[in-house]
């Protein structure tokens, strides 16, 4: 029996992630391109994964797309919401988890799973960018620090500068005034991370936290956020090098299920 | 051909549309005859006005119509330019703008000689109507319904309301020169009862699976329940609607086009500016709305004046959290519900503010999935298509997984 290759493509607001799965079990290619919905990001990242896996495009059995730009990729057989994909991908990565938290570019997702790994409920942020990936992007711009450096700088902090979690623009003004007061950048960054964590934890607590708790999405690369959220929720948060790929993994798994239906 | 036969030949939808058109026309005619015409809050005891044959129009109904036809942003911005905050209810902003510009091609109505306000739905209502009264130098009639922390309004509240009814009647007699008539009041209560019961009986047909109607239909039909509860033709039209639904159940038809895969409660006021989009995403996913608290709110049930006053204390926003929750749980129990979609409506703090806790407990008590989306009852700027679509798709996927698990016997 020949191998089944499925592709999951997660087109977010700021980046495109792609995973090639063999027989619904083994990741044989994965990639990230920092271009989101409405760009060439999806095509570029698929090209990367095809090259990496050695599987020809025409040999891919099913493609499922997810993320903010899921409807813009015409090659997909079906679309799934990033909620279901992060739940499925998270379970694939971590095994049994009760809660998955994903901080995306434009939203925060708290996913509740039952012992079978099925998504039973979810909560998302409302009408505000505070606590989202966009909030972090704005802050890194103001501080003139690369997004990927925030975690390391946080480690150098000596104390936490209080930063508002009410509104991105309020927080931005506060950060600017902190910089004018010559407060060390690492301390401001720690305050920014705490601000995000407060916001995300509020949502997670509202849904009722089931253990174990895992985190998916690109923000998991920021150790400062993971630490701050773990403190705020007063529990351990599982992360993985594959966390950023959870949505794409989930989509590839759904693609495999789709193939098995036929 | 008799009038009765004419009525029988028309579908309920047509009859209901005609009643709303006639309601506005009668207000214009009264105004043109030199009678006093009022602007009235949607849950003001219409029995008083109907008894005295005083014509009123409903700013909330007008605002919903204006926003559904695409004029919401224009009117909201007019009010904001005049100094009203963007945080105020969009119905209020549209109404205050209309008071000012006195023209909306989407739906015009006569200017008021008095305003009749009842705060059983919210307290923003009071300030909105006070402003109109002050600005236009016209009388304000206010019926104050305190929030009910107890399950049912007791004697003290009914007594408080009775005193206000008497005062409002006196005010209206002075303003319009028309007289109160107890016998006519009895008759109006009887007709209103018939209308209320027929309306609730019609919406109650959502208990059938599949439902004989598309849930979004009631958002259109409810205009009559708002504007013309005390008219006999409203009772007749809702009874006709009930018959049509009954027939649909027998023949397996429905106004919901497509397969009804999932049945949800739509929580909150309709998102009028984006009604088409909010409906289409659900319909395309095979989701039918089989329960709303919003539409049923206009079915007042009582058997005497005491119960009438109790009923006006029992509007969705005036009742305790426990009773509100029970209303939702009853819908789940009776209407075979798979999930709930919650409209977090920026305009209506009173309704949406309670929803975070309501949603949490609803999930806990029913085990059903829920999703929230940001929107607004009349300001189109507070809604994002893509955010709505993701949340709805997520909700559908969870309902789908639940059904699959049920079939496997996992639940």
């Amino acid at each position: 029996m020949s191998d089944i290759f499925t592709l999951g493509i997660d087109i977010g607001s700021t980046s495109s992630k792609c995973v090639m799965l063999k027989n619904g079990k083994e990741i044989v290619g994965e990639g990230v391109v920092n271009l989101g919905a409405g760009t060439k990001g999806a095509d570029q990242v698929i090209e990367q994964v095809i090259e990496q896996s050695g599987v020809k495009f025409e040999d891919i059995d099913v493609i499922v797309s997810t993320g903010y730009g899921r409807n813009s990729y015409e090659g997909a057989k079906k679309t799934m919401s990033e909620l279901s994909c992060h739940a499925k991908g998270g379970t694939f990565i971590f095994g049994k988890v009760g809660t998955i938290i994903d901080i995306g570019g434009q939203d925060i997702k708290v996913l509740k799973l039952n012992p079978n790994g099925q998504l039973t409920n979810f909560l998302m942020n409302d009408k505000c960018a505070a606590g989202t990936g966009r909030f972090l992007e704005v802050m890194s711009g103001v501080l003139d620090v690369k997004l990927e450096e925030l975690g390391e700088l946080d480690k150098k902090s000596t104390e936490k500068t209080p930063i508002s979690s009410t509104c991105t623009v309020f927080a931005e003004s506060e950060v600017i005034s902190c910089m004018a007061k010559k407060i060390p950048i690492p301390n401001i960054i720690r305050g920014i991370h705490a601000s995000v964590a407060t916001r995300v934890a509020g949502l997670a607590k509202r849904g009722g936290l089931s253990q174990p708790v895992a985190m998916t999405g690109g923000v998991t690369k920021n150790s400062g956020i993971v630490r701050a959220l773990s403190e705020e929720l007063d529990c351990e948060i599982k992360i993985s090098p594959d966390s950023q790929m959870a949505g794409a993994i989930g989509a590839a798994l759904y693609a495999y299920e789709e193939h098995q239906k036929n | 051909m008799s009038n009765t036969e004419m009525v029988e030949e028309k579908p309920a939808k047509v009859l209901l549309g005609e009643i709303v058109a006639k309601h506005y026309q009668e207000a214009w005619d009264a105004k043109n005859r030199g009678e006093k015409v009022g602007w009235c809050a949607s849950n003001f005891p219409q029995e008083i006005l109907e008894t005295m044959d005083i014509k009123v129009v409903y700013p909330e109904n007008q605002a919903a119509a204006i926003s559904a036809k695409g004029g919401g942003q224009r009117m909201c911005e007019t009010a904001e330019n005049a100094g009203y905050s963007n945080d105020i209810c969009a119905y209020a902003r549209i109404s205050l703008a209309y008071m000012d510009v006195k023209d909306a091609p989407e739906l015009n109505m006569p200017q008021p000689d008095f305003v009749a306000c009842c705060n059983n739905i919210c307290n923003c209502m009071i300030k909105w109507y006070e402003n109109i009264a002050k600005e236009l130098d016209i009388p304000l009639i206010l019926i104050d319904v305190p929030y009910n922390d107890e399950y049912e309004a007791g004697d003290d509240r009914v007594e408080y309301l009775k005193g206000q009814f008497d005062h409002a009647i006196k005010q209206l007699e002075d303003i319009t020169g028309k007289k109160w008539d107890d016998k006519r009041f009895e008759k109006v209560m009887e007709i209103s009862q018939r209308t209320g019961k027929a309306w609730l009986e019609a919406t109650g047909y959502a208990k059938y699976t599949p439902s004989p109607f598309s849930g979004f239909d009631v958002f259109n039909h409810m205009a009559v329940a708002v504007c013309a509860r005390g008219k006999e033709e409203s009772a007749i039209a809702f009874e006709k609607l009930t018959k049509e639904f009954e027939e649909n159940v027998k023949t397996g038809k429905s106004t919901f086009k497509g397969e009804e895969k999932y049945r949800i409660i739509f929580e909150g006021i309709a998102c009028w500016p984006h009604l088409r989009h909010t409906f289409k995403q659900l319909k395309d996913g095979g989701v039918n709305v089989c329960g709303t608290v919003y539409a049923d709110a206009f079915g007042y049930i009582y058997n005497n004046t005491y119960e009438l006053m109790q009923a006006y204390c029992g509007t969705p926003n005036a009742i305790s959290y426990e009773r509100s929750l029970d209303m939702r749980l009853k819908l789940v129990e009776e209407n075979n519900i798979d999930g709930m979609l919650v409209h977090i409506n920026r305009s209506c703090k009173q309704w949406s503010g309670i929803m975070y806790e309501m949603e949490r407990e609803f999930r806990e008590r029913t085990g059903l999935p829920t999703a929230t989306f940001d929107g607004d009852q009349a300001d189109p700027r507070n809604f994002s298509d893509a955010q709505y679509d993701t949340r709805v798709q997520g909700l559908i996927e969870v309902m789908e997984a639940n059904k699959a698990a049920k079939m496997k016997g996992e639940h």
Side-chain angles (χ1 to χ4, degrees), chain B residues 79 82 232 253 265 288 303 346:
Chain B
E232 191 162 18
K253 286 185 187 156
I265 291 173
N288 193 12
N303 294 303
R346 196 179 169 91

mmCIF file of all heavy atoms in Angstrom, chain B residues 79 82 232 253 265 288 303 346:
data_model
loop_
_atom_site.group_PDB
_atom_site.id
_atom_site.type_symbol
_atom_site.label_atom_id
_atom_site.label_comp_id
_atom_site.label_asym_id
_atom_site.label_seq_id
_atom_site.Cartn_x
_atom_site.Cartn_y
_atom_site.Cartn_z
ATOM 1 N N ALA B 79 -25.067 61.990 14.877
ATOM 2 C CA ALA B 79 -25.226 62.184 16.326
ATOM 3 C C ALA B 79 -23.878 62.474 16.986
ATOM 4 O O ALA B 79 -23.775 63.333 17.869
ATOM 5 C CB ALA B 79 -25.867 60.953 16.949
ATOM 6 N N ALA B 82 -22.776 65.855 16.532
ATOM 7 C CA ALA B 82 -23.544 66.788 17.368
ATOM 8 C C ALA B 82 -23.083 66.729 18.829
ATOM 9 O O ALA B 82 -23.568 67.485 19.665
ATOM 10 C CB ALA B 82 -25.028 66.451 17.280
ATOM 11 N N GLU B 232 -56.110 43.844 16.425
ATOM 12 C CA GLU B 232 -56.690 42.548 16.105
ATOM 13 C C GLU B 232 -56.047 41.927 14.868
ATOM 14 O O GLU B 232 -55.837 40.719 14.799
ATOM 15 C CB GLU B 232 -58.201 42.688 15.891
ATOM 16 C CG GLU B 232 -58.874 41.335 15.833
ATOM 17 C CD GLU B 232 -60.379 41.397 16.066
ATOM 18 O OE1 GLU B 232 -60.953 42.516 15.940
ATOM 19 O OE2 GLU B 232 -60.962 40.347 16.348
ATOM 20 N N LYS B 253 -42.007 20.759 5.346
ATOM 21 C CA LYS B 253 -41.394 21.921 4.695
ATOM 22 C C LYS B 253 -40.820 22.867 5.749
ATOM 23 O O LYS B 253 -41.127 22.757 6.929
ATOM 24 C CB LYS B 253 -42.437 22.675 3.875
ATOM 25 C CG LYS B 253 -42.828 21.980 2.581
ATOM 26 C CD LYS B 253 -43.757 22.866 1.799
ATOM 27 C CE LYS B 253 -44.312 22.133 0.571
ATOM 28 N NZ LYS B 253 -45.571 22.707 0.150
ATOM 29 N N ILE B 265 -29.189 28.583 19.618
ATOM 30 C CA ILE B 265 -29.797 29.795 20.177
ATOM 31 C C ILE B 265 -28.963 30.958 19.651
ATOM 32 O O ILE B 265 -27.732 30.914 19.712
ATOM 33 C CB ILE B 265 -29.732 29.788 21.721
ATOM 34 C CG1 ILE B 265 -30.650 28.713 22.299
ATOM 35 C CG2 ILE B 265 -30.110 31.166 22.294
ATOM 36 C CD1 ILE B 265 -30.520 28.531 23.802
ATOM 37 N N ASN B 288 -29.484 26.453 11.759
ATOM 38 C CA ASN B 288 -30.730 27.214 11.875
ATOM 39 C C ASN B 288 -30.860 27.753 13.298
ATOM 40 O O ASN B 288 -30.510 27.067 14.263
ATOM 41 C CB ASN B 288 -31.942 26.335 11.537
ATOM 42 C CG ASN B 288 -33.208 27.158 11.342
ATOM 43 O OD1 ASN B 288 -33.146 28.384 11.246
ATOM 44 N ND2 ASN B 288 -34.345 26.497 11.285
ATOM 45 N N ASN B 303 -53.314 37.627 32.499
ATOM 46 C CA ASN B 303 -54.757 37.361 32.501
ATOM 47 C C ASN B 303 -55.558 38.475 33.154
ATOM 48 O O ASN B 303 -56.774 38.455 33.138
ATOM 49 C CB ASN B 303 -55.033 36.037 33.225
ATOM 50 C CG ASN B 303 -54.442 34.874 32.440
ATOM 51 O OD1 ASN B 303 -54.771 34.678 31.279
ATOM 52 N ND2 ASN B 303 -53.542 34.140 33.069
ATOM 53 N N ARG B 346 -22.032 45.888 21.227
ATOM 54 C CA ARG B 346 -21.409 47.069 21.832
ATOM 55 C C ARG B 346 -22.446 48.123 22.246
ATOM 56 O O ARG B 346 -22.225 48.875 23.191
ATOM 57 C CB ARG B 346 -20.411 47.672 20.835
ATOM 58 C CG ARG B 346 -19.458 48.650 21.482
ATOM 59 C CD ARG B 346 -18.487 49.202 20.451
ATOM 60 N NE ARG B 346 -17.754 50.314 21.004
ATOM 61 C CZ ARG B 346 -16.607 50.223 21.621
ATOM 62 N NH1 ARG B 346 -16.046 49.045 21.789
ATOM 63 N NH2 ARG B 346 -16.002 51.280 22.091
#
